[in-house]
Amino acid sequence: MTTTTAPAYRNLLVEQRGAVTVLSVNRPDKLNALNRETLGEVEDCARRFAADPARGALIVTGAGEKSFVSGADIAELAVLGPREAEEVSRCGQRVCDALERAGKPVIAAVNGYAFGGGCELALACHVRLASENAVLGLPEVSLGIMPGYGGTQRLPRLVGPGRALEIILSGRRVKADEAERIGLVNRVVPREQLLEEAVKLAETILKNGPLAVSAVLEAVTRGMQLPLDDGLRLESGLFGLLAASEDMHEGLKAFLEKRTADFRRR
Ligand code: COA
């Protein structure tokens, strides 16, 4: 694995494995809590990832053995007034949106505590893999606040409103096995294999037509916000758009000629 040199982040490690970028939130002394500076760096990293054609997939994880991201930085939240609190919420939502709308696959490798903003960061990723020691939750109500980085919106869309409300209203912790059972994470793997599994999944996705992958991400993430009829129109529009690509013709031709497709992202 090579570590990229620029830009230098104070709270993130960014490593490149071929076309796969691995972003590790790196504040181990605070269990990778998201202070404002870290949020800004995650947003910057997400936007650079989206804009760089050499980067095909992003994995989001936490540095250290114990924590993915332990939440928003409570020390910063403690001093906020109403206007600033709303701004912090909008900022966290913007960062999550930047991941969700990157147009390329973003995979969360949840390697420990994923509470509050950490859980919300994982919810904004397209796929979530978790280690056996992962524990997720939205404990904000226990602090007298509420989820503010998209948790009240994305969790019910993922696990259904009944389960989401029970988790958010109780503030309880959801261990990896339950998270997998209710669809909060896609799959649980042994801790030492988590990153490898995430990279393997990213590489599997990257073998597919990149324009088709982007179209699917748009159809699903945007479609989830639309009534079914509009979502179906969106799907047809993107299906038609792909037919204008060289990649679609290459993919179908390669199948008929019994060879591997050579996708060129055009
Ligand atoms: N914000 C700021 N600091 C945090 C933090 C957060 N979300 N989560 C952990 N930390 C800090 C702790 O204050 C502690 O700092 P200190 O050593 O300077 O006192 C350090 O990280 C280690 O945490 P600690 O609580 O000692 O570790 P633990 O293993 O006993 O417990 C947790 C781990 C995750 C269960 C516990 O830290 C916790 O409940 N954190 C808050 C989770 C949360 O409510 N998140 C939502 C915020 S909106």
Side-chain angles (χ1 to χ4, degrees):
M1 192 186 286
T2 55
T3 303
T4 52
T5 48
Y9 295 118
R10 274 162 51 100
N11 309 290
L12 307 183
L13 299 172
V14 181
E15 298 158 328
Q16 205 55 41
R17 289 189 172 201
V20 181
T21 304
V22 181
L23 178 172
S24 303
V25 178
N26 185 34
R27 292 185 78 210
D29 56 325
K30 297 293 173 194
L31 300 181
N32 304 327
L34 296 171
N35 60 2
R36 275 197 243 194
E37 185 179 53
T38 310
L39 268 181
E41 290 183 354
V42 174
E43 184 178 11
D44 182 76
C45 186
R47 296 200 188 285
R48 284 173 191 275
F49 160 70
D52 184 348
R55 297 181 182 199
L58 179 68
I59 293 170
V60 179
T61 192
E65 296 294 302
K66 206 168 159 183
S67 188
F68 172 72
V69 169
S70 65
D73 190 310
I74 296 173
E76 281 190 358
L77 295 182
V79 296
L80 296 180
R83 185 171 300 173
E84 291 162 305
E86 187 175 343
E87 268 169 27
V88 164
S89 166
R90 294 297 296 157
C91 171
Q93 290 176 355
R94 208 175 54 233
V95 175
C96 290
D97 285 352
L99 292 171
E100 191 174 66
R101 296 180 194 170
K104 302 182 230 181
V106 180
I107 300 169
V110 182
N111 59 323
Y113 299 128
F115 294 136
C119 185
E120 291 169 304
L121 204 65
L123 286 168
C125 296
H126 303 122
V127 177
R128 282 151 295 282
L129 302 187
S131 55
E132 288 157 333
N133 63 317
V135 191
L136 299 93
L138 293 171
E140 283 87 345
V141 290
S142 71
L143 300 165
I145 56 172
M146 63 179 284
Y149 297 175
T152 64
Q153 304 307 303
R154 289 195 178 93
L155 187 62
R157 283 169 166 82
L158 192 62
V159 302
R163 283 196 173 112
L165 276 170
E166 191 253 327
I167 290 167
I168 298 171
L169 291 175
S170 66
R172 73 179 176 87
R173 297 176 180 184
V174 181
K175 290 187 181 159
D177 55 347
E178 184 190 354
E180 181 179 44
R181 185 167 50 75
I182 66 175
L184 174 50
V185 300
N186 297 65
R187 189 151 41 93
V188 179
V189 299
R191 187 161 61 171
E192 59 284 1
Q193 291 169 23
L194 179 64
L195 194 57
E196 293 313 316
E197 285 294 321
V199 171
K200 219 191 292 176
L201 174 60
E203 287 173 347
T204 300
I205 295 170
L206 291 177
K207 287 189 187 131
N208 298 318
L211 297 177
V213 166
S214 293
V216 168
L217 288 172
E218 188 177 349
V220 174
T221 54
R222 204 142 68 82
M224 284 297 289
Q225 299 173 31
L226 299 173
L228 181 62
D229 279 353
D230 295 348
L232 291 171
R233 290 296 298 270
L234 172 66
E235 182 185 79
S236 302
L238 290 164
F239 194 88
L241 206 58
L242 281 181
S245 72
E246 287 178 21
D247 277 358
M248 186 194 95
H249 296 288
E250 165 61 11
L252 299 178
K253 202 157 154 259
F255 174 82
L256 296 173
E257 294 171 0
K258 301 189 189 307
R259 61 175 175 80
T260 306
D262 177 18
F263 293 119
R264 300 281 173 91
R265 190 175 265 283
R266 52 185 192 223

